[in-house]
Amino acid sequence: MLSFDQARQLVIGQSKTHTGSRPTISLPVSDALGHVLAQDIRTDREYPPFDRSTRDGYAVRASEATQGATLRCMGEIKAGDSVTEALSPGTCIQIMTGAAVPSGADAVVMIEFTRREGDTVTFDRQTQPGQNIVSRGSEARAGDLALAVGLRLGFAELAVAAQVGAASLCCYKKPRVAILSTGDEVVPITETPGPFHIRNSNSVSLAAQIRLGGGEPVSLGNALDRVDDLSAKIEQGLREDILVLSGGVSMGKYDLVESVLKGLGAEFFFDAVAIRPGKPTVFGRCRGALVFGLPGNPVSTMVTFQLFAIPAIDILNGAEPRPLPFLEATLTESLREKPGLTHFLPARLDWSGSAPHVHALRWQGSGDIAALTRANCFLMVPADHPDISAGEKVSVLPRSDVL
Ligand code: AMP
Ligand code: MG
């Protein structure tokens, strides 16, 4: 059976060979958060565009503003003032943060290290050339590549786009991800469930995970555990870039997802991974769509989506797949799990005290969503080290939505 890492590598490899056209969309910069850039953005001018003072103080010639020296102050320069005159020898000028340093000056002395009497200024310290000035063009040159195709747009990237005047950005359209839950017991959340029914929470969590991951969720509701209904709804889902199914992939008599997919011509890359929860996870391709069949127990659905579906969304988005952001922490309560499978247990990571530490939460197994709301991470118990003592270091996978 594949390890979760091998399974992820298969997802990454297959997603990269996915040959759909990748449509683009032009978005105002303020709406582009989480999109992936489909164009290069170049810097429009020098940054900073002028020699910029980083402090409130006095612009000087460093060689003149020695400790104890006194210079005559010739006026002031505010941020936004146009500066055309050079600083005359033997003088200084008051300057504000963000203002342009006049030619002739080569340092700014912080106001805290000066004394002002009338129009003379005395300097308390030695002055170093270049201090408190960021010189023109030192952050970026006109024409430099500011943001490259394939970059995921976070707040800093959006700020750079704004800085260089790229008010709208050509981005890849997010991949459309169809969600189809399965099960005769599953009812829409707007209905009152019968005594043996359960509400369709997986479609809700999957839509949230798809959005967080950078995809566009397309909800197809629920299919009954019957070949005709499953077949019709799966065919509908195959029109999107990715189809994610929940339930119906285990060994039960009514777990029909894999056989229905096969009947529709699917090619499978794996149908089991050595993890718990999530062992019967299925990944394949059918009629040009990537297909994930995730086990229906809600925590299994969430874990397997995070492990396997996110890299496919990244790649179909035009970006590199994000690595799993494991953190290291000290285990505070010993653990014993079944060997042979890598476990992902709902756990609580905290930073009180000197170093991050973590403990697994008590839970009723992979149907227990309530336990997951108390968790901020999954604690990974390796397949070959299922017996872990308190005090040992473990790897934890943060819940991408809350940490
Ligand atoms: P399955 O993978 O179909 O064997 O389902 C495993 C468990 O997950 C069963 O207890 C199901 O009732 C539950 N389950 C399946 N689909 C959903 C869903 N959409 N929302 C919540 N629970 C589900
Ligand atoms: Mg089922």
Side-chain angles (χ1 to χ4, degrees):
M1 215 187 316
L2 298 176
S3 70
F4 75 92
D5 237 359
Q6 292 170 320
R8 269 176 63 87
Q9 289 316 313
L10 267 175
V11 170
I12 290 169
Q14 289 302 329
S15 304
K16 284 189 170 167
T17 66
H18 194 80
T19 54
S21 67
R22 197 165 286 154
T24 60
I25 182 174
S26 175
L27 291 171
V29 68
S30 50
D31 292 343
L33 179 69
H35 277 80
V36 175
L37 257 187
Q39 65 169 139
D40 286 339
I41 299 290
R42 295 199 173 267
T43 306
D44 61 325
R45 57 176 180 164
E46 316 293 304
Y47 285 92
F50 47 83
D51 294 337
R52 181 177 62 207
S53 174
T54 62
R55 293 287 187 271
D56 296 313
Y58 293 93
V60 299
R61 285 180 170 75
S63 59
E64 294 177 350
T66 54
Q67 187 168 20
T70 294
L71 295 172
R72 202 149 69 83
C73 181
M74 302 303 285
E76 63 172 36
I77 307 171
K78 309 193 296 301
D81 284 352
S82 52
V83 175
T84 47
E85 274 176 47
L87 183 73
S88 312
T91 71
C92 66
I93 191 158
Q94 191 165 11
I95 193 164
M96 314 303 156
T97 300
V101 176
S103 64
D106 65 354
V108 169
V109 179
M110 287 168 68
I111 199 151
E112 292 88 330
F113 303 135
T114 64
R115 276 165 291 142
R116 173 102 183 229
E117 277 167 60
D119 63 357
T120 65
V121 181
T122 306
F123 298 91
D124 295 339
R125 299 186 173 188
Q126 211 54 34
T127 303
Q128 303 303 323
Q131 74 179 36
N132 302 322
I133 298 175
V134 178
S135 53
R136 176 170 195 265
S138 62
E139 293 169 2
R141 299 256 164 211
D144 278 358
L145 184 61
L147 304 167
V149 172
L151 196 66
R152 190 189 314 281
L153 296 167
F155 52 79
E157 290 73 21
L158 295 180
V160 166
Q163 175 174 258
V164 305
S168 66
L169 297 170
C170 179
C171 300
Y172 292 115
K173 277 193 176 158
K174 294 184 171 183
R176 288 170 60 87
V177 186
I179 303 167
L180 180 60
S181 72
T182 71
D184 290 350
E185 76 282 28
V186 176
V187 298
I189 59 169
T190 46
E191 280 179 21
T192 306
F196 301 105
H197 292 154
I198 53 142
R199 294 192 180 92
N200 188 354
S201 64
N202 283 350
S203 290
V204 173
S205 59
L206 282 171
Q209 287 183 287
I210 289 163
R211 261 191 232 290
L212 279 170
E216 187 68 48
V218 180
S219 284
L220 300 182
N222 184 68
L224 300 172
D225 293 316
R226 278 193 349 229
V227 172
D228 53 351
D229 198 34
L230 262 174
S231 217
K233 287 178 175 151
I234 285 177
E235 282 198 271
Q236 205 183 330
L238 294 174
R239 294 189 206 124
E240 310 300 347
D241 301 304
I242 300 176
L243 166 62
V244 177
L245 290 127
S246 91
V249 289
S250 303
M251 298 300 286
K253 188 175 163 196
Y254 297 99
D255 290 326
L256 303 171
V257 165
E258 217 177 325
S259 63
V260 168
L261 278 167
K262 189 171 266 165
L264 294 170
E267 167 190 13
F268 295 105
F269 306 115
F270 59 79
D271 64 0
V273 187
I275 55 170
R276 174 176 282 172
K279 188 165 144 221
T281 300
V282 173
F283 170 58
R285 186 198 306 273
C286 192
R287 302 188 182 174
L290 295 173
V291 183
F292 292 89
L294 309 180
N297 261 313
V299 180
S300 315
T301 314
M302 294 174 198
V303 168
T304 52
F305 185 91
Q306 186 165 347
L307 290 176
F308 306 118
I310 294 279
I313 292 178
D314 282 343
I315 292 164
L316 268 58
N317 240 332
E320 279 299 306
R322 277 166 278 190
L324 289 173
F326 283 111
L327 301 175
E328 196 181 68
T330 305
L331 188 68
T332 56
E333 292 166 27
S334 63
L335 277 173
R336 171 171 298 179
E337 295 294 334
K338 192 171 162 247
L341 299 174
T342 299
H343 295 252
F344 290 90
L345 308 174
R348 188 88 204 163
L349 182 63
D350 86 82
W351 285 265
S352 58
S354 54
H357 45 276
V358 67
H359 67 279
L361 298 169
R362 256 175 268 288
W363 70 321
Q364 300 301 321
S366 53
D368 192 354
I369 331 177
L372 209 52
T373 64
R374 296 186 285 276
N376 57 7
C377 66
F378 297 102
L379 194 167
M380 184 175 77
V381 180
D384 57 358
H385 186 46
D387 225 329
I388 315 181
S389 311
E392 282 190 65
K393 294 264 188 278
V394 290
S395 290
V396 302
L397 188 60
R399 255 181 68 190
S400 53
D401 51 346
V402 296
L403 269 192

